[in-house]
Amino acid sequence: MVGVNQDILASRQAFVRTRDMQFKSGTSGHPRKREYFKLFLLFGSTEKLFPSSRFIALSGSTGICCLKPNYTFISYSFLLWTILFVVSTGAVDRLAAVCDAFRHAWKGYKEYAWGHDELKPISRSFGEWFGLGLTLIDSLDTMWILGLKEEFAEAKDWVEKELSFDKNVDVNLFETTIRILGGLLSTYHLTGDQLFLEKAKDLGSRLMPAFKTPSKIPFSDVNIGKGIAHPPRWTSDSTLAEVTSIQLEFRELSRLTQEPQYQEAVNEVMRLVHKLPGKQDGLVPMFINTNSGQFTHKGVFTLGARADSYYEYLLKQWIQGGKAEDDLLEDYLQAVEGVKKHLVRQTGPSRLTFVGELSHSRFNPKMDHLVCFLPGTLALGAHNGLPGDHMDLAVQLMETCHQMYQQMETGLSPEIVHFSMQASDGPNLIVKPADRHNLLRPETVESLFYMYRFTKDPKYRDWGWDILLSFNNYTKVPGGGYTSINNVRDPVNPGPRDKMESFFLGETLKYLYLLFSDDMELLSLDKYVFNTEAHALPIWPSPPK
Ligand code: DMJ
């Protein structure tokens, strides 16, 4: 510590004290304060460049420093501004912060939930959904991308020695496909390790009984040990998004194994849905019957839960297949027009653009956080040659999703918001008590990643950074893990829910890392397409014309 500027030392101590208090109380100060403190921490570690004999800190609390007047100003101010630039753009620091967040989440999982589906970080225990190590598998490719080699090696060891799909267990076809099959395929592509492909093949073949239905629309659940599939107990319907968002993974499995049955089964679902009556300008109902193959609960349209990834996978399958499947493109373009016509509206107070819902011709100005995947998908389409107004809509919706975080007291979005369409000075966003929770969802940071890649506008990174800081402030659990919370409007008592969803590691942190990375070749969007759980699959070479 000899020679360290005393002001810097004082600031560092203040930072550590504040941080400790925040951890103890479970609350914390404004994110910006922590950034200022970080500036001082950086200075504190550069004593050689900025010796305290030659520098003075003007204020220990605001982070303002300057050279002592008698020093050669030019060379040092150049260095100072370089460092300030690095800190303010946050390039290096932000990537490290994502890695820190991942390590903290992983620590909790490793200590209290190793090999189980989900961490319960408050009770320091675990929750089981399918009993397949869901979080571990969902996290594999994130660890690889973040360069967390030790953690990856331990997880790989578990996959090799412990993971077995020969289990008498009912799994949800969609969730297992996007998280586990997608995770294994993506990890196989990144590492080239056959282990992951072998596991993917085993799982894929065990999921196939789901497609043995009268209509060829798959059942929602399948027992992977017994090879028996069934719908939920209360209905013979399947959710539309679920049966139309397993295609990227099954198609890729066929390509890798040269076994056509996987691709045939999921392509058949798309063929059926393509020609099915009951759509409205490309918008689809939320349910489909596994016996009749017809839509049910007609007349209700949303881009949120139960329909969301149908739209996402139309575009992404078209991209995956080398832009050769015209029906997919046609359905996607029609759907975007349908969204614009029936669901896109603006708030009264400040003209925020949002996507509402339609129920039997009645418009409901309600938007799930899940809909925040849409700016990213629209931007991806525009990047691939689709109309420029898709990008305009993406920019507007991205602003709205940002506001869903920004306007909350914790800086975190609720699960659902309602929008005011009255021309008044009142609030744009209304959050109902039952909708105030936050599940650590990825959709907004996912879209920020796409928007940054295509525009390079640094504001998207700053918005993502604020979200990470808010996750750290309000959902980080001492001892390890992050938790879903009950109330994004109460920074004093956000109400931890005691659950860390696997997608926080599989998606949220991965997209944040990719958002902050300057390496545009890291999972280039011209070479890979991300499944709806953020697992990267290669874009196939275009077929000969
Ligand atoms: C994830 O499992 C996937 O992103 C899915 O498409 C929607 N729900 C969660 C994340 O919110």
Side-chain angles (χ1 to χ4, degrees):
M1 283 298 176
V2 179
V4 171
N5 183 318
Q6 289 309 304
D7 273 30
I8 292 168
L9 193 55
S11 293
R12 187 203 298 267
Q13 284 162 350
F15 170 74
V16 171
R17 266 200 313 278
T18 313
R19 190 195 55 196
D20 290 349
M21 274 161 52
Q22 287 164 357
F23 284 163
K24 275 182 200 140
S25 66
T27 62
S28 53
H30 192 278
R32 289 267 171 246
K33 271 192 207 153
R34 301 183 70 172
E35 289 192 80
Y36 293 141
F37 276 125
K38 277 188 185 165
L39 202 64
F40 269 81
L41 283 182
L42 183 73
F43 281 2
S45 63
T46 54
E47 175 60 15
K48 281 201 183 118
L49 283 177
F50 299 94
S52 50
S53 56
R54 288 168 180 170
F55 279 84
I56 51 171
L58 292 184
S59 161
S61 61
T62 60
I64 301 169
C65 298
C66 77
L67 283 166
K68 282 183 176 174
N70 63 351
Y71 196 71
T72 322
F73 190 76
I74 294 177
S75 58
Y76 272 89
S77 66
F78 174 75
L79 281 169
L80 177 64
W81 285 113
T82 306
I83 287 175
L84 282 173
F85 175 78
V86 169
V87 170
S88 67
T89 57
V92 174
D93 194 47
R94 290 177 178 187
L95 290 176
V98 179
C99 291
D100 285 349
F102 187 96
R103 278 200 201 91
H104 185 80
W106 191 250
K107 178 174 183 282
Y109 178 73
K110 195 174 158 187
E111 282 184 32
Y112 309 118
W114 185 250
H116 297 286
D117 283 340
E118 285 156 344
L119 169 68
K120 295 171 89 171
I122 306 288
S123 56
R124 300 190 166 177
S125 59
F126 59 85
E128 218 65 291
W129 191 4
F130 311 135
L132 296 175
L134 198 61
T135 295
L136 188 147
I137 301 174
D138 220 358
S139 307
L140 284 167
D141 57 359
T142 306
M143 291 186 271
W144 186 263
I145 293 162
L146 269 55
L148 302 175
K149 290 187 182 151
E150 257 174 53
E151 290 85 349
F152 180 85
E154 281 173 332
K156 182 193 151 182
D157 197 53
W158 184 87
V159 171
E160 199 165 9
K161 297 190 178 126
E162 307 287 338
L163 177 62
S164 166
F165 297 122
D166 190 12
K167 270 187 155 178
N168 178 10
V169 59
D170 275 356
V171 303
N172 175 283
L173 171 68
F174 164 73
E175 298 290 358
T176 307
T177 300
I178 64 167
R179 301 189 199 210
I180 302 185
L181 185 57
L184 291 168
L185 289 173
S186 166
T187 308
Y188 166 68
H189 277 295
L190 292 175
T191 62
D193 191 326
Q194 287 293 323
L195 166 70
F196 300 108
L197 180 56
E198 290 308 318
K199 291 289 178 188
K201 275 197 240 174
D202 185 22
L203 177 60
S205 64
R206 289 170 184 275
L207 292 173
M208 286 304 281
F211 295 90
K212 284 190 199 141
T213 67
S215 65
K216 300 198 176 152
I217 298 295
F219 287 133
S220 58
D221 298 279
V222 50
N223 185 305
I224 52 172
K226 291 186 181 160
I228 300 168
H230 60 88
R233 235 172 272 135
W234 58 91
T235 177
S236 54
D237 288 351
S238 285
T239 296
L240 195 90
E242 294 196 356
V243 301
T244 55
S245 312
I246 49 181
Q247 278 65 14
L248 293 175
E249 301 82 355
F250 276 83
R251 285 156 49 113
E252 178 60 11
L253 187 59
S254 271
R255 196 180 71 95
L256 290 171
T257 59
Q258 297 293 303
E259 293 175 27
Q261 72 267 25
Y262 306 112
Q263 176 154 5
E264 280 167 7
V266 293
N267 279 357
E268 179 63 11
V269 177
M270 295 313 294
R271 262 195 299 275
L272 291 169
V273 172
H274 173 67
K275 56 179 199 231
L276 211 54
K279 294 182 201 161
Q280 190 165 339
D281 294 315
L283 302 178
V284 288
M286 292 147 69
F287 295 98
I288 188 164
N289 190 271
T290 50
N291 292 320
S292 67
Q294 300 296 311
F295 291 129
T296 64
H297 303 74
K298 288 187 198 160
V300 180
F301 302 104
T302 174
L303 264 277
R306 299 187 180 280
D308 48 0
S309 43
Y310 160 74
Y311 303 100
E312 179 188 349
Y313 268 38
L314 286 175
L315 178 73
K316 289 183 173 177
Q317 286 176 81
W318 178 69
I319 293 172
Q320 178 191 43
K323 304 185 190 173
E325 295 149 291
D326 294 339
D327 286 354
L328 294 167
L329 177 62
E330 188 191 307
D331 287 353
Y332 178 74
L333 289 172
Q334 209 191 356
V336 175
E337 290 313 304
V339 170
K340 287 196 284 189
K341 182 170 168 193
H342 299 290
L343 305 182
V344 172
R345 296 289 181 273
Q346 289 193 323
T347 59
S350 40
R351 321 296 304 160
L352 270 184
T353 302
F354 67 94
V355 180
E357 299 184 351
L358 202 61
S359 181
H360 306 288
S361 305
R362 230 188 112 119
F363 183 75
N364 184 1
K366 158 186 180 268
M367 180 166 142
D368 295 351
H369 180 273
L370 287 168
V371 182
C372 288
F373 81 92
L374 191 57
T377 297
L378 289 168
L380 180 65
H383 176 73
N384 279 279
L386 303 190
D389 69 335
H390 289 202
M391 190 63 185
D392 300 338
L393 182 57
V395 170
Q396 291 166 25
L397 291 173
M398 193 74 259
E399 170 69 38
T400 303
C401 292
H402 164 60
Q403 292 299 330
M404 286 163 63
Y405 284 75
Q406 174 85 358
Q407 293 189 22
M408 299 302 123
E409 288 76 353
T410 56
L412 292 173
S413 170
E415 179 73 357
I416 299 170
V417 292
H418 289 74
F419 294 91
S420 166
M421 297 178 73
Q422 312 293 329
S424 71
D425 289 340
N428 285 277
L429 273 62
I430 300 143
V431 186
K432 302 200 170 169
D435 306 332
R436 288 174 176 166
H437 49 291
N438 179 294
L439 305 183
L440 313 171
R441 285 198 192 275
E443 290 76 18
T444 295
V445 294
E446 167 186 356
S447 283
L448 288 171
F449 155 66
Y450 285 101
M451 296 302 285
Y452 181 76
R453 280 263 171 125
F454 298 138
T455 66
K456 302 289 180 306
D457 186 335
K459 79 177 177 195
Y460 296 124
R461 282 183 160 177
D462 293 341
W463 294 355
W465 179 239
D466 286 344
I467 292 173
L468 178 59
L469 293 175
S470 293
F471 278 133
N472 278 338
N473 280 336
Y474 297 107
T475 71
K476 190 171 179 176
V477 179
Y482 286 74
T483 179
S484 309
I485 55 172
N486 279 323
N487 190 354
V488 297
R489 309 227 67 163
D490 187 348
V492 177
N493 183 16
R497 281 194 157 190
D498 198 15
K499 182 166 173 174
M500 183 173 77
E501 299 275 355
S502 75
F503 51 68
F504 183 63
L505 287 81
E507 293 194 72
T508 309
L509 294 178
K510 183 191 290 151
Y511 281 130
L512 280 166
Y513 188 87
L514 293 172
L515 169 67
F516 300 142
S517 171
D518 286 329
D519 182 358
M520 299 297 135
E521 282 305 303
L522 181 58
L523 299 176
S524 156
L525 290 169
D526 295 316
K527 293 183 185 146
Y528 289 92
V529 64
F530 287 87
N531 86 341
T532 194
E533 189 74 8
H535 298 304
L537 301 172
I539 294 173
W540 305 341
S542 296
K545 301 233 167 184

